[in-house]
Amino acid sequence: MIRQGGFTAEPWSVRETELDLERLPQAESVFALSNGHIGLRGNLDEGEPYGLPGSYLAGFWDSRPLPYAEAGYGDPEQGQAIVNVTNGKIMRLLVGDSPFDVRYGTVRSHERVLDMREGVLRRVVDWTSPSGQCVRVRSTRLVSFAQRAIAAIAYEVEAIEDEVHVVVQSELIANEELPGAGADPRAGHVAAQLKQELKEAVDTRAVLIHSTAGSGYRVAAAMRHEVDGPGQTETSIEAFTDLARLTVSATIAPGEKLRIVKYVAYGWSEVRSTPALQDQVSAALTEAGATGWEGLLAAQKEFLDAFWERADVEVDGDLELQQATRFGLFHVLQAGARAEQRAIAAKGLTGPGYDGHAFWDSEAFVLPVLTYTLPDAAADALRWRHATLDLAKARAQQLRLAGAAFPWRTIHGEECSGYWPAGTAAFHINADIADAVIRHHRVCGNDEFEREIGLELLIETARLWRSLGHRDAQGGFRIDGVTGPDEYSAVADNNVYTNLMAQRNLRAAAEAVEHHPEAAFALGVDQEEIGDWRDAASSIVIPYDELRAVHPQAEGFTDHEVWDFEGTTPDQYPLLLHFPYFDLYRKQVVKQADLVLALHRCGESFTQAQRRANFDYYEPLTVRDSSLSACTQAVVAADVGYLGLAYAYYREAALMDLDDLEHNVRDGLHIASLAGAWTAAVAGFGGMREDGDRLSFKPQLPDELTRIAFRLCFRGSTLGVEIEHGRATYRIIAGEPIEVTHYGSAVQLSAAAPASREIPALVRLESPRQPAGRGPRRQDS
């Protein structure tokens, strides 16, 4: 089966069976490899043609100015942008006197496969040069989970019909020419040029070291090779300012092969010296060489076998959805597995979109998945936030607030948003971070982590809310002038999502302080402050529209004029590219789930009738100009009984990038939406919620699927849940017994005693309609 997006539908692979140069930029993102530390776009081995070349390192950035027509107090002055670092992927090939380039000669066949069980990208191409010489090129590329500084390529050239002379040039290239970003604000800016500090080439090894002008970072890229060819194979190596090149030449007879294994190592720092980085990458190459190509492959598979054992999601009845769900999990893993106290960007390390910045996407969408599937990676992401706490506290002081004000968008920890209504005013990111801390403790039960990392994050975010809000004449605790998740509604009073999440933050901080009194005392917390947090939480204002019997997204929202959806043409979406924000801000139009997100994250604050009424009200207003929306709408649609609609939104979230639904995958994948596919399956159709120290489930299955099964980690055990029509089965796959609830009834589980329970029949309801032309999307619909 071949989808509109050009990839065959397979359960464990993403396969491209022909090369479509029009879709090359999208494929480069889809086929990107990363371990969270190093990211390599899926560019062709020979480097050209390309849509967007890209090699990225987590946390490696350069500064750029943020110009303002009219600067204001507190506006950030410097932005941060991810850097396209030294490219170690290049393997150029000369066949006879013709460079191997798919735009010339004849491509007889071309296939690329992203193997999600092996963790590699494979390519096979049969090509006839303009002069009639035929070769088969095979390559396998990996970015190692086991050795985080290492990427490796096995490159093989075989003569097919006649003897042929070939030359392979394996290169490191810095300061590649990049295409312009265009006018789309979601695309990334091009960072400044790198300055060379060292070049060296000897035997089959080379190293280039460069530095950034603004941020003061150094990056070292090094390569070494193993060459296996016919008897007269020759090699030479050289290095220049921005280029190091190993040249291998050989004459190969039909059936003979020239094989090169290339190991590439990266190291970077803002404090370490050039010699130290040179030694670092040299040591990494030595370790990789000792492990060998086959050893790296084996370690990659071993890592992924363990991951899928505790994290796999099985979807029966829709092969595309099965593939897309695993694709999403694989890229979430790639974004966070070895990030190790560096930011997880909205695009991961798959492209320069959004300048490589991390947003609230990380804590709100990505960390829930990592917490349940790779909890150590989630803990490291929170350690990164904790490491930026001083910067967040300084930002709060600049804003005349207490506690910590974490940045809306950043790489290093400073605020990088030049538009304060969507950036600075979106304070909910602080509660999203606190929520990730709360979830990690509930799921992992790690008191040491809570004391050393979580406690201070909870305290400083609670202090922010207490200083940001104020008492009204009726004694309510108000939080005015903030922007919630919906970026088409800015600087509003008492955004329901923000207030409910702040309430949770305040209460959790008080509980954590009482759990760790000595550590809290060292942070300056006393009983009066704890009481103040609890008092604010108990009286926080949650607006309700009695006339319409729904919760307004923020005070007054339901009194705004409704956007003219019928008068908006399909080519005017996303609205942010065609209408002024002023017009959007004063109308009832929702970019992405906001109040509906509150129904998911804070569902206990609403009755079932309120959740359905609210969902029905906001569904016709939500245009989903953000990839963050569909997964949340899937969860809440399933919760209130619209299973067919939930299924459609699940598909949209999962297929966001494979089908390029937002038409911007060239700039990188939508990691939060890919994470949202897991959320749609587990929290949507699994009905999973965190219920104190237990997990609760209310599973339902849509007619379109015959079965969903998923695995997750909880309190050191691996739990398996299988959902079929009318029945759910729970089992402990590994670990100690735990208790869960099924539709409110306790279920005791152990490895020896799985439990099956009936799923109550659901009353089928007709789901609400979306704005004209904004129903759940597929590229071929």
Side-chain angles (χ1 to χ4, degrees), residues 312-336:
D312 191 24
V313 177
E314 299 173 59
V315 181
D316 292 351
D318 187 332
L319 184 57
E320 287 184 345
L321 189 56
Q322 172 67 90
Q323 178 192 47
T325 301
R326 286 186 174 134
F327 175 79
L329 268 170
F330 180 72
H331 272 288
V332 169
L333 173 69
Q334 289 200 130

Side-chain angles (χ1 to χ4, degrees), residues 210-230:
H210 289 75
S211 60
T212 60
S215 61
Y217 276 63
R218 287 190 179 93
V219 57
M223 62 180 181
R224 64 169 287 181
H225 303 79
E226 297 169 357
V227 180
D228 183 13

Side-chain angles (χ1 to χ4, degrees), residues 303-520:
F303 184 96
L304 283 164
D305 283 346
F307 173 74
W308 292 118
E309 177 67 20
R310 64 177 176 269
D312 191 24
V313 177
E314 299 173 59
V315 181
D316 292 351
D318 187 332
L319 184 57
E320 287 184 345
L321 189 56
Q322 172 67 90
Q323 178 192 47
T325 301
R326 286 186 174 134
F327 175 79
L329 268 170
F330 180 72
H331 272 288
V332 169
L333 173 69
Q334 289 200 130
R338 301 300 303 270
E340 296 176 1
Q341 301 185 49
R342 291 182 172 90
I344 299 176
K347 298 292 186 180
L349 295 174
T350 66
Y354 296 113
D355 292 339
H357 289 166
F359 297 78
W360 70 298
D361 307 24
S362 295
E363 283 78 16
F365 295 90
V366 178
L367 291 201
V369 181
L370 289 176
T371 300
Y372 282 105
T373 61
L374 196 65
D376 287 347
D380 272 340
L382 291 171
R383 286 189 180 95
W384 167 72
R385 284 292 189 187
H386 185 265
T388 68
L389 193 53
D390 285 345
L391 294 172
K393 291 165 74 172
R395 178 63 172 165
Q397 290 177 357
Q398 184 181 37
L399 299 174
R400 306 176 73 84
L401 296 168
F406 284 96
W408 175 242
R409 58 186 302 171
T410 191
I411 297 175
H412 186 258
E414 297 87 351
E415 179 61 71
C416 292
S417 174
Y419 182 60
W420 71 266
T424 297
F427 285 100
H428 67 84
I429 188 172
N430 300 281
D432 297 320
I433 293 168
D435 190 50
V437 170
I438 298 163
R439 177 178 300 104
H440 190 274
H441 188 256
R442 285 179 174 174
V443 173
C444 300
N446 188 333
D447 286 348
E448 182 180 357
F449 179 84
E450 184 185 53
R451 182 177 62 255
E452 295 180 356
I453 302 297
L455 178 65
E456 191 172 13
L457 288 171
L458 290 172
I459 288 171
E460 297 301 343
T461 48
R463 285 170 170 164
L464 173 85
W465 294 118
R466 186 60 190 88
S467 67
L468 185 64
H470 71 282
R471 296 283 180 185
D472 61 18
Q474 291 75 40
F477 186 76
R478 301 176 57 86
I479 302 176
D480 294 336
V482 300
T483 299
D486 173 29
E487 293 159 31
Y488 286 171
S489 303
V491 197
D493 294 343
N494 292 309
N495 173 262
V496 171
Y497 175 83
T498 301
N499 284 19
L500 286 174
M501 293 292 284
Q503 181 183 60
R504 175 178 294 172
N505 191 166
L506 290 160
R507 288 173 172 165
E511 291 173 7
V513 165
E514 293 187 345
H515 194 197
H516 305 285
E518 292 184 5

